[in-house]
Amino acid sequence: GLPEVPVRPIAERRVSRRIQVGPVAVGGGAPVSVQSMTTTRTSDIGATLQQIAELTASGCQIVRVACPTQDDADALPVIARKSQIPVIADIHFQPKYVFAAIEAGCAAVRVNPGNIKQFDDQVREIAKAARDHGTPIRIGVNAGSLDRRLLQKYGRATPEALAESALWEASLFEEHDFRDIKISVKHNDPVVMVEAYRQLAAQCDYPLHLGVTEAGPAFQGTIKSAVAFGALLSQGIGDTIRVSLSAPPVEEIKVGIQILQSLGLRERRLEIVSCPSCGRAQVDVYKLAEEVTAGLEGMEVPLRVAVMGCVVNGPGEAREADLGVASGNGKGQIFVKGEVVKTVPESKIVETLIEEAMRIAEQMEKDGASG
Ligand code: SF4
């Protein structure tokens, strides 16, 4: 289902027009959605649908598939029909695949402005087909494939160049009265990327798809994306996000969801509040935190679980959480809503926390169902 409305948003959201990517609303105050892109050959329908199923299970709301060949275009109707989440066809060069993707029932089509120019005269037809099918277009500007004219004008892919490129491409569609558009202006440098989106946000009301392109391997890419999206979303800018990692796409979804939860833009599910450990620790906090995280993975209810290494700050933090443990003397004091409910030997801490968490979760679900 759709993510919950934030309790206390980090910022007023920028006012953007709303588009519909299949059943998922993007912009116009809709919750920020999380998307990813498949890594399979799109023409391999089975593998692509399998990956889409995994992405769906991990919380992905919109999925993009590359469409570089006719075989890929031929696979789109089945993929679009069988996918549980809306499918966006990603097309760089060939206008004929844009038409194919629209005909195939894709929820949206991504085109690259650096290349779209070659089919200027076809923009009218694309706009018409997209309008007839109610298919929005994502204009995806990428530093690596910036329009040559703008590269010459600015010397390199500056924020101004990225924003101008996107707005110019949007204007080609606007000429045909087509505004069912969302925009991205990606760069691998978060500083350039943030500035490009800021400029773009100030100059149009299109919903924005945030992304740091070629962000890198998981660790670096996670940080780059978190910093860049955090900077923008904390100013209300951004309607849908894609974390790009040189890692399996499911990892991108986990990071994306965590970024939104950290910003309070999505209800927190399971949150582990664990201490960094210090010289006072009486238990291996890293190991305990990891075991508790693994034991509770996939829990659907919002639960704050405190894992504290000693009884100095432990009880205080544990009291703030739904559930917690403070360790000392080879034992763990288990807290539920601030009360010590049990003291168990260290070897039983993990299983006791998991038991208690399940019990609280069941209670929350019951309360939710009856309320
Ligand atoms: Fe150190 Fe205890 Fe604080 Fe953990 S809870 S950081 S062990 S003082």
Side-chain angles (χ1 to χ4, degrees):
L2 284 174
E4 300 70 15
V5 177
V7 182
R8 186 161 50 89
I10 190 160
E12 280 294 306
R13 300 272 303 278
R14 160 180 169 265
V15 178
S16 56
R17 69 172 58 229
R18 177 173 286 202
I19 65 165
Q20 277 300 135
V21 178
V24 180
V26 175
V32 179
S33 49
V34 176
Q35 49 179 296
S36 183
M37 189 165 178
T38 52
T39 55
T40 51
R41 298 255 169 255
T42 303
S43 55
D44 186 344
I45 295 176
T48 302
L49 284 171
Q50 172 62 32
Q51 198 171 55
I52 292 177
E54 286 161 19
L55 282 166
T56 306
S58 71
C60 182
Q61 294 167 287
I62 297 171
V63 66
R64 193 149 44 98
V65 301
C67 187
T69 71
Q70 185 61 47
D71 284 348
D72 299 315
D74 292 343
L76 292 176
V78 178
I79 292 172
R81 194 172 68 243
K82 293 206 170 159
S83 170
Q84 303 90 326
I85 50 178
V87 173
I88 301 183
D90 191 273
I91 292 153
H92 275 259
F93 298 102
Q94 300 87 339
K96 63 177 176 177
Y97 300 153
V98 176
F99 296 110
I102 292 171
E103 300 276 322
C106 288
V109 179
R110 181 268 172 120
V111 296
N112 186 333
N115 305 317
I116 196 179
K117 208 165 57 102
Q118 318 164 359
F119 49 96
D120 259 4
D121 53 337
Q122 278 173 305
V123 171
R124 177 197 307 273
E125 260 94 283
I126 292 174
K128 181 177 186 313
R131 189 188 348 264
D132 289 350
H133 289 80
T135 314
I137 299 282
R138 164 149 79 91
I139 293 178
V141 177
N142 219 313
S145 50
L146 191 65
D147 185 78
R148 197 171 302 135
R149 185 175 57 88
L150 290 161
L151 261 185
Q152 273 161 5
K153 178 170 171 191
Y154 291 98
R156 64 202 154 83
T158 61
E160 291 75 15
L162 292 166
E164 187 176 326
S165 175
L167 291 170
W168 178 69
E169 292 304 325
S171 77
L172 295 181
F173 283 98
E174 287 161 3
E175 275 172 28
H176 304 289
D177 210 22
F178 185 86
R179 290 181 174 77
D180 203 6
I181 292 170
K182 65 176 173 142
I183 299 183
S184 63
V185 281
K186 299 192 183 183
H187 195 286
N188 61 42
D189 181 341
V191 176
V192 177
M193 174 273 196
V194 166
E195 186 52 29
Y197 276 98
R198 279 190 189 140
Q199 293 185 10
L200 191 57
Q203 293 176 69
C204 70
D205 71 347
Y206 291 117
L208 301 181
H209 161 120
L210 303 187
V212 177
T213 191
E214 293 106 31
F219 178 72
Q220 181 188 294
T222 297
I223 292 177
K224 274 190 175 184
S225 300
V227 168
F229 297 1
L232 288 165
L233 289 166
S234 68
Q235 296 176 356
I237 298 170
D239 299 287
T240 181
I241 62 171
R242 191 260 170 124
V243 174
S244 301
L245 301 177
S246 305
V250 164
E251 298 304 312
E252 301 184 344
I253 296 303
K254 287 190 198 163
V255 173
I257 289 174
Q258 192 69 51
I259 290 172
L260 295 183
Q261 289 182 345
S262 298
L263 291 164
L265 288 168
R266 187 176 284 207
E267 189 185 40
R268 290 187 176 88
R269 292 285 160 93
L270 178 64
E271 187 183 7
I272 306 288
V273 183
S274 56
C275 81
S277 184
C278 74
R280 278 183 290 265
Q282 302 208 4
V283 69
D284 183 344
V285 177
Y286 302 170
K287 185 160 157 265
L288 190 57
E290 247 166 47
E291 287 173 354
V292 172
T293 307
L296 297 178
E297 203 190 325
M299 266 184 73
E300 287 294 308
V301 292
L303 203 60
R304 260 172 91 93
V305 182
V307 177
M308 310 305 290
C310 78
V311 291
V312 174
N313 289 325
E317 284 287 354
R319 235 173 267 134
E320 294 283 306
D322 298 300
L323 175 64
V325 59
S327 303
N329 286 332
K331 298 197 190 77
Q333 287 185 320
I334 307 291
F335 289 80
V336 173
K337 307 267 179 211
E339 303 288 327
V340 179
V341 293
K342 270 179 205 164
T343 301
V344 298
E346 205 177 298
S347 61
K348 299 268 186 224
I349 291 175
V350 175
E351 62 176 84
T352 310
L353 279 179
I354 293 171
E355 265 169 38
E356 291 296 327
M358 297 296 175
R359 221 174 39 73
I360 298 173
E362 233 168 72
Q363 193 57 46
M364 280 180 169
E365 265 156 21
K366 231 182 267 166
D367 294 351
S370 63

